[in-house]
Amino acid sequence: EAGVAQSPRYKIIEKRQSVAFWCNPISGHATLYWYQQILGQGPKLLIQFQNNGVVDDSQLPKDRFSAERLKGVDSTLKIQPAKLEDSAVYLCASSLAQGNEQYFGPGTRLTVT
Amino acid sequence: GESVGLHLPTLSVQEGDNSIINCAYSNSASDYFIWYKQESGKGPQFIIDIRSNMDKRQGQRVTVLLNKTVKHLSLQIAATQPGDSAVYFCAENRGYGQNFVFGPGTRLSVLP
């Protein structure tokens, strides 16, 4: 079984630039999550999708972050414009259903200079 | 606010010894807990889980203990190996329909 795929693996941008991350969850997983993991901290949930609908985006900075999962499979997370404090690893995870074990991708390491 | 936390941010153990990683949680409604292992440059990987109707669960070389009275969770790794070096996170699920909240993590270093 293929795992959660993410791209790119690394990204370096200047502040005020835009960036987008892509995630392909495990086939058949209805629930998809985006987490932000700042160095030395645990993952923090940004947004959760159930199929193509948003279930929880309470911790997503909506003035600069956006995410979509149009066809209920792949998802993209965008930051526009980026700030220095957005430097982190962005993890995508998927699960069969909410509350089930989550499978994580390798993450995208973002550095904002 | 309520949070999941860890007593020790770093833990160093000799190869072959047993490791114990601790986690405190404050939400009595939490009913499902997972321990994750995160190696450098990788996403968190499931190790073992436990539900609140259990006190202990064993896997291969790992045991999770849950003490609901003091809201404490621990991960025991037997015969720690160099490959166990990683950051370990506990995550709690605060009830049906809720998401997992991750603690800050403990870095385990295995000394030769």
Side-chain angles (χ1 to χ4, degrees), chain B:
Chain B
E2 295 176 312
S3 63
V4 174
L6 293 171
H7 296 309
L8 296 173
T10 60
L11 177 65
S12 296
V13 298
Q14 290 292 137
E15 181 178 354
D17 287 352
N18 297 333
S19 303
I20 300 177
I21 301 172
N22 296 303
C23 179
Y25 65 96
S26 57
N27 192 324
S28 58
S30 295
D31 60 359
Y32 182 39
F33 305 86
I34 297 180
W35 279 101
Y36 285 92
K37 172 185 179 183
Q38 187 174 26
E39 296 175 278
S40 181
K42 297 182 180 180
Q45 179 185 11
F46 174 93
I47 301 174
I48 191 168
D49 61 357
I50 188 168
R51 294 198 177 273
S52 58
N53 60 350
M54 302 173 68
D55 298 323
K56 178 179 180 179
R57 190 152 190 243
Q58 289 185 294
Q60 187 177 13
R61 283 202 306 118
V62 295
T63 301
V64 55
L65 299 177
L66 176 62
N67 186 328
K68 296 179 286 292
T69 302
V70 295
K71 299 187 182 70
H72 184 266
L73 193 69
S74 69
L75 176 69
Q76 301 179 2
I77 304 173
T80 310
Q81 302 170 0
D84 295 327
S85 293
V87 177
Y88 290 81
F89 295 96
C90 65
E92 67 174 316
N93 189 288
R94 297 179 174 179
Y96 178 77
Q98 299 298 309
N99 286 311
F100 285 92
V101 176
F102 285 77
T106 292
R107 179 172 298 280
L108 176 65
S109 295
V110 181
L111 307 174

Side-chain angles (χ1 to χ4, degrees), chain A residues 9 33 37 42 48 98 101 105, chain B residues 38 41 43 46 89 97 99-100:
Chain A
R9 291 296 313 276
Y33 311 80
Q37 186 176 24
Q48 176 197 342
Q98 184 176 4
E101 177 190 345
Chain B
Q38 187 174 26
F46 174 93
F89 295 96
N99 286 311
F100 285 92

Side-chain angles (χ1 to χ4, degrees), chain A residues 12-86:
Chain A
I12 301 174
I13 61 173
E14 296 182 349
K15 59 183 178 183
R16 292 188 289 274
Q17 286 187 323
S18 302
V19 65
F21 312 126
W22 173 82
C23 173
N24 179 237
I26 292 173
S27 178
H29 281 195
T31 311
L32 185 147
Y33 311 80
W34 282 102
Y35 288 87
Q36 180 192 60
Q37 186 176 24
I38 293 173
L39 184 65
Q41 298 181 18
K44 183 187 83 172
L45 180 68
L46 292 175
I47 189 168
Q48 176 197 342
F49 291 94
Q50 181 70 21
N51 296 310
N52 62 348
V54 176
V55 175
D56 183 356
D57 63 355
S58 57
Q59 298 194 82
L60 186 74
K62 298 180 186 63
D63 58 334
R64 298 183 300 107
F65 286 64
S66 65
E68 60 184 13
R69 194 185 184 198
L70 294 176
K71 297 182 179 180
V73 179
D74 294 3
S75 177
T76 56
L77 176 69
K78 298 179 181 178
I79 307 175
Q80 179 181 14
K83 293 185 176 182
L84 295 177
E85 58 261 36
D86 298 333

